[in-house]
């Protein structure tokens, strides 16, 4: 019999908790460590629709990237959004676990999955952890062959789940790209690192006006690189789900599935 604790052990071998940022929250947030697990749902966000999906799919555990309760919580009253999630989980005997910045920093984590999905090989951390060349923030590696920025953006659009955000591009669409840097989730703060590492294109999410504009102005003083590819936050982290689900399925000998819901908050654009 596989228990919640067995699944936690498997996850924490791959995504060690000590890799997490100090402000972050990771691990089990709802459930009994000794409860049996037969089927796990992997999703980016621990939102109510994902819990309903887990109930419909007969799952007894959910593993998400984002934490349910990152900041201080004073109530789990069922009339609040997070309280409703906690109640639905407990009512249905479903455990909730998350691996956030520890999965970002891990060698086989979120950034690696994004890089692989985009056809980037030989990836190493964009910003390695001190004394650890294999783990750290982001990935930088190379495409098998150069392609234009437009072709690369098309590849990103194909490889990632469809969102209203789509794939936004800044730079010369006909320019060749080969060295690719990626950071899953909000990657504003690694724009300089991508440029310093010699990336031809930097793929991330949540790029705001001022950091993006300043990065483009600086790039134009050189040859225009790195170009920027900005995707939906959810989409940039979604590729990790399949990799993590396969790993846990093998490591814990258990049935795992990936959520089919889009949890990007935007549902229209005009
Ligand atoms: Zn994120």
């Amino acid at each position: 019999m596989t228990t919640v604790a067995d699944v936690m052990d498997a996850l924490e071998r791959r995504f060690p908790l000590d890799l997490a940022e100090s402000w972050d929250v990771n691990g089990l947030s709802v459930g009994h460590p000794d409860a049996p697990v037969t089927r796990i749902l992997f999703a980016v966000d621990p939102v109510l629709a994902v819990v309903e999906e887990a109930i419909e799919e007969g799952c007894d555990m959910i593993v998400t990237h984002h934490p349910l309760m990152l900041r201080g919580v004073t109530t789990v009253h069922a009339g609040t959004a997070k309280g409703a999630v906690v109640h639905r989980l407990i009512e249905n005997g479903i455990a909730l676990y998350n691996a956030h910045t520890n999965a970002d920093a891990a060698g086989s984590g979120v950034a690696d999955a994004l890089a692989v999905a985009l056809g980037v090989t030989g990836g190493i951390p964009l910003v390695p952890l001190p004394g650890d060349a294999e783990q750290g923030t982001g990935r930088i590696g190379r495409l098998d062959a150069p392609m234009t920025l437009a072709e690369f953006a098309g590849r990103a659009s194909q490889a990632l789940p469809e969102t209203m955000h789509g794939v936004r591009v800044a730079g010369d669409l006909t320019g060749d790209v080969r060295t690719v840097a990626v950071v899953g989730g909000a990657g504003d703060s690694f724009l300089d690192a991508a440029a310093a590492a010699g990336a031809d294109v930097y793929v991330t999410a949540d790029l705001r006006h001022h950091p993006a504009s300043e990065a483009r102005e600086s790039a134009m003083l050189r040859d225009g690189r790195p170009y920027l590819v900005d995707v939906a936050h959810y989409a940039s982290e979604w590729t990790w789900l399949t990799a993590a689900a396969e790993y846990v399925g093998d490591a814990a000998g258990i049935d795992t599935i990936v959520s089919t819901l889009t949890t990007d908050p935007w549902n229209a654009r005009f």
Side-chain angles (χ1 to χ4, degrees), residues 44 65-66 100 184-186 233 237:
V44 174
H65 181 46
H66 292 142
H100 189 212
H233 186 127
E237 297 170 336

Side-chain angles (χ1 to χ4, degrees), residues 2-247:
T2 303
T3 64
V4 168
D6 295 332
V7 175
M8 293 168 65
D9 284 346
L11 283 160
E12 288 162 22
R13 282 198 299 276
R14 188 78 151 199
F15 312 112
L17 294 174
D18 61 6
L19 294 181
E21 300 284 347
S22 58
W23 49 262
D24 199 15
V25 172
N26 294 285
L28 190 67
S29 50
V30 177
H32 292 283
D34 55 357
V37 180
T38 57
R39 193 173 209 210
I40 309 175
L41 176 69
F42 283 74
V44 174
D45 295 294
V47 295
L48 199 53
V50 166
V51 178
E52 298 300 341
E53 184 183 23
I55 295 167
E56 278 167 29
E57 292 288 345
C59 296
D60 29 33
M61 186 168 183
I62 302 173
V63 174
T64 61
H65 181 46
H66 292 142
L68 176 65
M69 294 171 284
L70 181 59
R71 299 190 179 86
V73 170
T74 54
T75 174
V76 289
H77 163 20
T80 65
K82 290 181 191 294
V85 167
V86 171
H87 278 256
R88 288 297 278 160
L89 288 167
I90 293 173
E91 286 160 6
N92 290 278
I94 299 173
L96 176 65
Y97 181 99
N98 81 278
H100 189 212
T101 54
N102 53 325
D104 286 333
S108 302
V110 176
D112 187 61
L114 176 58
V116 168
L118 297 174
V120 177
T121 54
I124 57 170
L126 178 61
V127 182
L129 292 174
D132 186 346
E134 298 299 315
Q135 305 188 101
T137 301
R139 274 284 185 273
I140 183 163
R142 289 183 33 107
L143 302 172
D144 287 342
M147 60 175 65
T148 66
L149 176 60
E151 287 167 340
F152 179 74
R155 173 181 284 194
S157 176
Q158 290 293 314
L160 302 181
E162 193 175 352
T163 59
M164 279 300 148
H165 179 288
V167 174
R168 297 194 301 181
V169 179
D172 176 2
L173 293 177
T174 66
D176 274 347
V177 299
R178 182 142 198 203
T179 300
V180 180
V182 308
V183 170
D188 274 335
S189 45
F190 301 99
L191 283 159
D192 289 345
D200 296 322
V201 59
Y202 176 45
V203 183
T204 190
D206 291 344
L207 287 180
R208 292 166 297 159
H209 172 83
H210 290 293
S213 173
E214 287 167 18
R216 290 306 303 143
E217 291 302 305
S218 295
M220 299 297 253
L221 298 176
R222 304 182 300 266
D223 66 350
R225 296 176 177 85
Y227 307 131
L228 303 180
V229 169
D230 181 67
V231 303
H233 186 127
Y234 149 85
S236 74
E237 297 170 336
W238 177 87
T239 54
W240 174 72
L241 303 180
T242 305
E246 278 177 13
Y247 161 72

